[in-house]
Amino acid sequence: PPARALAPPPPPPAPPSAGPAADPLAPMSFEEMVRRQLRKKANAVLVRKKAEVLALVRRLNAERFDLWDASTLLPRVSLGVGARGGGGGGIWLTMEVVPVNVAAEVIDWYRALVSQLEGLCLPLECEKAETWGERLAIPRKGGGLHFGEPERREAAAAYARLGVLYEFVSLSSQLAE
């Protein structure tokens, strides 16, 4: 028998609807309305304080800590020696060791930074795994964005660095306790 031509495969199924959020006319949940209002207010703060936001981002990217200065790595040890009074007394010895906490400077700096971030409405944890670079993509009326591409890249780098600092501060704080 002659070879038959194969029929083309059927078209792929249509992608599922993105749900009510994709339809601008669909009703919105109360939680979604509140979330959008809060984000809108935060956007206004970020735009109004743009110079402060960028200064903080640049400071975060530029900050360096010299945690391994040899003079600060040694624990402080103090000894006390004495003799008890009288003929049959003995001697006594006390020793105090103060451990080194090289993270203290970073922890203090980080805590001050967190309060500044809160004042600027720049969250430590953005929505849905977005970075600060994505968070600062705030549209302008009439087109364009309030924060340019280089500023958003710088913010994304600062956000990544802050994640590492957060881990360092969290673990160091636990070890110091």
Side-chain angles (χ1 to χ4, degrees):
R4 292 195 297 177
L6 296 175
S17 162
D23 182 6
L25 299 177
M28 194 181 315
S29 71
F30 177 74
E31 292 84 10
E32 180 66 14
M33 288 190 308
V34 169
R35 187 194 67 77
R36 286 188 183 188
Q37 280 296 83
L38 291 173
R39 189 162 175 107
K40 186 176 180 180
K41 286 180 181 182
N43 285 351
V45 171
L46 288 166
V47 170
R48 188 175 68 249
K49 296 183 176 185
K50 180 179 179 177
E52 289 177 63
V53 168
L54 294 176
L56 189 64
V57 162
R58 289 181 181 123
R59 194 176 101 216
L60 178 57
N61 282 330
E63 189 70 37
R64 300 290 179 256
F65 301 97
D66 185 14
L67 301 180
W68 308 116
D69 178 11
S71 66
T72 64
L73 289 180
L74 299 174
R76 194 186 73 197
V77 178
S78 59
L79 293 173
V81 180
R84 297 195 199 302
I91 60 169
W92 55 267
L93 173 69
T94 62
M95 183 169 98
E96 178 188 16
V97 178
V98 178
V100 176
N101 182 359
V102 295
E105 176 188 355
V106 180
I107 292 169
D108 292 343
W109 177 85
Y110 181 83
R111 287 185 178 144
L113 177 76
V114 168
S115 67
Q116 291 175 331
L117 291 172
E118 289 171 358
L120 293 173
C121 294
L122 201 54
L124 291 172
E125 293 181 9
C126 294
E127 292 181 14
K128 302 175 189 168
E130 74 180 346
T131 67
W132 283 349
E134 294 159 338
R135 177 65 187 95
L136 295 179
I138 302 169
R140 271 192 181 151
K141 291 180 182 174
L145 299 172
H146 285 281
F147 292 85
E149 181 63 31
E151 295 165 333
R152 292 194 320 273
R153 272 196 309 270
E154 207 173 355
Y159 185 76
R161 185 162 194 250
L162 187 65
V164 174
L165 283 168
Y166 171 79
E167 292 295 324
F168 177 81
V169 167
S170 295
L171 294 173
S172 298
S173 297
Q174 290 174 14
L175 288 172
E177 293 174 356

